[in-house]
Amino acid sequence: MPETWGDRPRSGDGPLYRQVREALLREIAQGRHPVTEPLPSEQKLAARFGVAQGTVRRALDEMARENLVIRHQGRGTFVHAHGPDRDRFHFFHLLAADGERRLPTSRVLSMTQRRVTQTEALALRLSPQARVVEIKRVRDLMARRAVLELIILPDDLFPGLGDLNKTQLPNTLYQLYQDRFAVIVHRAVEKITAEAAGPDDVTHLGLDRGAPLLRIERIAQTLDGTPVELRISRCDTTHLAYFSDLL
Amino acid sequence: MPETWGDRPRSGDGPLYRQVREALLREIAQGRHPVTEPLPSEQKLAARFGVAQGTVRRALDEMARENLVIRHQGRGTFVHAHGPDRDRFHFFHLLAADGERRLPTSRVLSMTQRRVTQTEALALRLSPQARVVEIKRVRDLMARRAVLELIILPDDLFPGLGDLNKTQLPNTLYQLYQDRFAVIVHRAVEKITAEAAGPDDVTHLGLDRGAPLLRIERIAQTLDGTPVELRISRCDTTHLAYFSDLL
DNA sequence: TAGTGGTCTAGACCACGCC
DNA sequence: GCGTGGTCTAGACCACTAA
């Protein structure tokens, strides 16, 4: 604000670069800024918000560090989308026991539509009457049956998904959410416990009844914190492990 | 470099702020900059390195984001130490099943000195002849026996530790490493699997034989990546869970 | 009051991608 | 060649801490 200095009315709250950040975040959450084209340049944003370019830069750099946008020198700044460029392991922490990164393959067992359960409604912040799509699939890692997954999606966020044939579901679901339903998963929270194998695990993972397995309960969220997917993965950790970096 | 511009010889590699960062990192790893007193101010560092204050700031800000240093307006910048200020949950992801944060208590079962095993030597990058201290303890969470821990420490990094009485060990070991041995844990990698309870787990955690439990294998490192602790935690996840944020 | 980091501005030059 | 982000500088004022 070159002219009006000396008495900044503290119009919004907090530093300018945070206000710029929040404004951009709102725009992105509202679905402007399609993932295929760049945000306005730093210069234009600076002019629009009436701040210096460096202030916009700081906001964008912060968002880039949080994986919300991605910046390319010479091309521009984009909403960070799921696609070939994105690190596929950011949301996939199951690696071979030696730490090697291998991507899994998937086979869908079933896809059904039904009323939400009480637990699911709580996790996904849905009304008790809401409908959901349930996907059940097995994932292989290094040619071994490794993970039995149950995926719960709110029907209203993914209209028409239940009508798809189960063979049409890709391995990388987050890309599907983004391309077909404009739902971008930006973050997730996982809750990990150990459980004993039940009948389903025996059938689909080839485990012995009562064998220990890793249960991962994930809630995936969009930018504004709306939960969009509940995923429960049951993993045979004989040849795998979940890796976590504490930096 | 105000005078000599126009032909920066690209003396080191990469941007200046990274060179500054690496230089500071080296100094910290070498044990200069005790955790009790601030680093030189931005002004002084800028003069020392012959760069602008903003360049030093960028290096320090980056290090602050990685939890390597901590900055206090009006006081200065400090090597980020374990202590009352530090977030105790950064290295402790076991929470009550509802997500509540409670700190554990600890009871040491034994502390012994012995030769390293082959597996341990590999994980801690020790010679096969090296000696280690082994600590075994039980941790309670919410007044319930919850975790059985085996901690392996290289003897040469922690001289005299094996002579301590086991009742002298504090609950927060990383603080001990730092205060008594000038070893600061900056990061850790965890590898999580599910296992069946064995005799030890039955004895100390009160689990049934074969019950599923969570096994967390952690390697803690100092700034320069030297592994300084191997810790294997076996957790009863009946009332707990391991939480992980994917941002 | 002096000194620290925090915010903000302004403008330079460089490296890169695209047309 | 033009526009983008990446790096670097310089200097202003503010907020906080400590002596």
Side-chain angles (χ1 to χ4, degrees):
Chain A
M1 284 170 170
E3 256 61 63
T4 56
W5 68 276
D7 185 18
R8 178 86 50 72
R10 281 290 76 177
S11 41
D13 284 338
L16 283 182
Y17 69 86
R18 269 200 201 287
Q19 300 179 37
V20 171
R21 175 198 146 95
E22 295 308 320
L24 289 172
L25 247 35
R26 273 193 302 275
E27 293 185 9
I28 295 173
Q30 283 165 19
R32 300 142 99 180
H33 306 303
V35 301
T36 52
E37 54 179 304
L39 300 187
S41 71
E42 294 179 352
Q43 288 286 3
K44 285 178 185 140
L45 289 172
R48 164 132 73 91
F49 290 118
V51 300
Q53 180 179 351
T55 304
V56 171
R57 170 175 297 262
R58 181 156 179 184
L60 288 173
D61 281 345
E62 203 171 90
M63 292 165 72
R65 283 199 308 274
E66 302 173 71
N67 294 310
L68 303 177
V69 299
I70 183 161
R71 318 194 74 191
H72 295 288
Q73 191 174 58
R75 288 209 284 142
T77 302
F78 300 76
V79 174
H80 197 170
H82 296 270
D85 284 356
R86 179 145 195 166
D87 172 17
R88 283 163 163 64
F89 291 97
H90 190 86
F91 290 108
F92 188 75
H93 284 196
L94 289 173
L95 309 184
D98 59 4
E100 276 306 307
R101 304 185 147 194
R102 310 277 177 82
L103 280 173
T105 58
S106 306
R107 184 165 49 91
V108 175
L109 301 175
S110 67
M111 178 159 66
T112 59
Q113 226 177 336
R114 58 168 172 79
R115 264 268 295 280
V116 75
T117 69
Q118 203 174 359
T119 328
E120 292 163 0
L122 197 64
L124 291 172
R125 287 197 231 135
L126 296 175
S127 94
Q129 285 77 36
R131 296 190 66 77
V132 293
V133 176
E134 175 193 300
I135 300 168
K136 194 168 169 178
R137 63 177 184 176
V138 181
R139 310 193 85 178
D140 289 13
L141 213 67
M142 299 176 300
R144 279 199 197 87
R145 281 177 294 175
V147 187
L148 177 60
E149 272 186 350
L150 196 67
I151 296 164
I152 312 293
L153 302 165
D155 198 56
D156 59 347
L157 279 176
F158 299 94
L161 172 62
D163 304 331
L164 287 179
N165 188 295
K166 68 179 187 182
T167 60
Q168 295 176 274
L169 287 176
N171 183 26
T172 58
L173 285 177
Y174 289 177
Q175 175 113 41
L176 176 78
Y177 302 167
Q178 168 185 304
D179 295 344
R180 300 274 285 247
F181 305 98
V183 169
I184 304 181
V185 171
H186 277 293
R187 40 189 54 165
V189 182
E190 297 189 322
K191 176 176 162 182
I192 304 172
T193 52
E195 277 193 5
D200 248 28
D201 309 308
V202 173
T203 307
H204 296 108
L205 295 179
L207 287 169
D208 293 333
R209 176 86 202 232
L213 56 77
L214 204 64
R215 180 185 193 274
I216 306 172
E217 181 179 321
R218 168 191 293 184
I219 297 174
Q221 311 174 346
T222 53
L223 230 190
D224 57 359
T226 311
V228 295
E229 180 204 63
L230 171 64
R231 181 185 294 213
I232 294 167
S233 306
R234 307 171 68 79
C235 318
D236 174 5
T237 57
T238 314
H239 303 97
L240 310 181
Y242 182 98
F243 282 79
S244 180
D245 269 4
L246 284 53
L247 308 176
Chain B
M1 284 171 168
E3 257 58 66
T4 56
W5 69 276
D7 183 18
R8 177 86 50 72
R10 281 285 80 174
S11 40
D13 284 338
L16 282 182
Y17 68 86
R18 267 199 204 287
Q19 300 180 36
V20 170
R21 175 198 146 95
E22 294 309 320
L24 289 172
L25 248 34
R26 274 193 302 275
E27 293 185 10
I28 295 173
Q30 285 165 18
R32 299 143 101 182
H33 307 303
V35 300
T36 52
E37 55 180 302
L39 301 187
S41 70
E42 294 179 351
Q43 288 284 4
K44 285 176 186 142
L45 288 172
R48 163 131 74 91
F49 290 117
V51 300
Q53 181 178 351
T55 304
V56 172
R57 171 176 297 262
R58 181 156 179 185
L60 288 173
D61 282 345
E62 201 172 272
M63 292 165 72
R65 283 199 309 273
E66 302 173 72
N67 294 310
L68 303 176
V69 300
I70 184 163
R71 318 194 74 188
H72 296 286
Q73 191 174 65
R75 289 209 282 141
T77 301
F78 300 76
V79 174
H80 197 169
H82 296 270
D85 284 356
R86 180 145 194 165
D87 173 17
R88 283 164 164 63
F89 291 96
H90 190 86
F91 290 107
F92 188 76
H93 285 197
L94 288 173
L95 309 184
D98 59 4
E100 276 305 308
R101 304 185 146 194
R102 311 278 177 81
L103 281 172
T105 59
S106 306
R107 184 166 49 89
V108 174
L109 301 176
S110 67
M111 177 159 66
T112 59
Q113 226 177 334
R114 58 168 171 77
R115 264 269 295 280
V116 74
T117 69
Q118 203 174 358
T119 328
E120 292 162 0
L122 197 64
L124 291 171
R125 288 197 230 134
L126 296 175
S127 93
Q129 286 77 34
R131 295 191 67 79
V132 294
V133 176
E134 174 193 300
I135 300 168
K136 192 170 171 177
R137 63 177 183 174
V138 180
R139 311 193 84 176
D140 289 13
L141 213 66
M142 300 176 299
R144 279 199 198 86
R145 282 177 293 174
V147 187
L148 177 59
E149 272 186 350
L150 196 66
I151 297 163
I152 312 292
L153 302 164
D155 199 57
D156 59 348
L157 278 176
F158 300 92
L161 173 61
D163 303 332
L164 288 178
N165 186 297
K166 69 180 187 180
T167 60
Q168 294 176 275
L169 287 176
N171 183 26
T172 56
L173 285 177
Y174 289 177
Q175 174 113 42
L176 176 78
Y177 302 166
Q178 169 184 301
D179 295 344
R180 302 272 287 246
F181 305 98
V183 170
I184 304 181
V185 171
H186 276 292
R187 40 190 52 166
V189 182
E190 296 190 322
K191 176 177 162 180
I192 304 173
T193 51
E195 276 194 6
D200 248 27
D201 308 309
V202 173
T203 306
H204 296 108
L205 294 178
L207 287 170
D208 293 333
R209 178 86 201 229
L213 56 77
L214 204 65
R215 181 186 193 275
I216 306 172
E217 182 178 320
R218 169 192 294 183
I219 296 174
Q221 311 174 345
T222 54
L223 230 190
D224 57 357
T226 310
V228 294
E229 180 204 64
L230 171 65
R231 181 185 294 212
I232 294 167
S233 306
R234 306 172 69 80
C235 317
D236 174 4
T237 57
T238 315
H239 302 97
L240 309 181
Y242 182 99
F243 282 80
S244 181
D245 270 4
L246 283 53
L247 306 177

